[in-house]
Amino acid sequence: MSWYRRRMAVVLVTGGSSGIGLATVQRLAAAGHQVYSGSRDPARSRLPDGVTPLAVDVADPAAGPAAVRFVVAAAGRLDVLVNNAGTVSIGSLEEAGDAEAHRVFEVNLFGPMRLASAAVPEMRAQGGGRIINVTSENDSFPAPFGGWYSASKAALASASTVLGAEVRRFGIFVTVIAPGLFRTAMAAQLDSFPIAADSAYAPMLTAVREQNATWPDEAGDPDEVARVIEECILASDPPARIVVGADALEMDKTVRESGAEDLARLLRDFVAGLA
């Protein structure tokens, strides 16, 4: 029986005000865990009784480590860090620009890893812990016109694997959760991105936006991901990676069964179909 089963875990969830993060906060609070919900706007959603809201903008280099210090000072320990906060970017790599690339990587990669770096010493001192990094199935199945998003999630998945190898001897387990499409605030924004009138990719981006408009009807319940996160917290030896969602499982199968040329051809054909 894991030590998390012998006592309720102290959990910090980022992006806890909506979507997968909020579902995770609700599920863990209902199970009796001591939950801290970090988000840029803690008042955005009603949180369950007993959950402590924290203002955390993961793009701010000081915010993540400060949140970890707060939780440890308040609760005496930090058992689980769930890095769920993220952002999306849709557009061509050619036209996105450095500022957009830096914004996406700051939120999707550097912010989570700063939180992890702050959490590891605390977890090591107490004899163990869990770090759960929410990526996307696009971390291995990249999305045309979602290049910086896919790249940032791939980088987080890679960094998570390395971190897991480095900290395992301290009793700290690192798991990547790779969801498909679920009902989240990010998913709701996929059909509202701007398209420059003079973009060389305007026809293709318009087609992407039209396709994305149908996705919310197909998106899954975020609690499905929250349930998997809860299982990782309770597991004595949680897996390194879990793919969640029927669409994500199908993409994962395609990646595993395809060679590099096959996958590149599949993406090229997709873009050609948009034009």
Side-chain angles (χ1 to χ4, degrees), residues 9-84:
V10 175
V11 187
L12 171 59
V13 181
T14 67
S17 64
S18 67
I20 292 169
L22 180 58
T24 301
V25 167
Q26 292 169 334
R27 174 173 278 273
L28 296 181
H33 298 287
Q34 186 173 349
V35 182
Y36 293 80
S37 174
S39 64
R40 288 182 298 170
D41 182 9
R44 178 178 178 181
S45 300
R46 181 179 177 82
L47 299 174
D49 292 341
V51 173
T52 303
L54 296 177
V56 181
D57 181 355
V58 298
D60 177 357
V68 170
R69 291 194 299 271
F70 179 91
V71 172
V72 172
R77 65 185 199 270
L78 174 60
D79 300 323
V80 181
L81 169 64
V82 180
N83 275 314
N84 167 75

Side-chain angles (χ1 to χ4, degrees), residues 89 92-93 96-97 100-101 104-105 108 145-153:
S89 178
S92 71
L93 286 174
E100 179 66 358
V104 173
F105 268 77
N108 290 354
F145 303 109
W148 286 128
Y149 174 79
S150 299
S152 67
K153 292 298 189 177

Side-chain angles (χ1 to χ4, degrees), residues 174-198:
V174 181
T175 298
V176 167
I177 304 290
L181 186 65
F182 286 87
R183 292 191 297 273
T184 66
M186 280 202 310
Q189 299 169 0
L190 292 176
D191 65 343
S192 60
F193 60 90
I195 301 173
D198 61 348

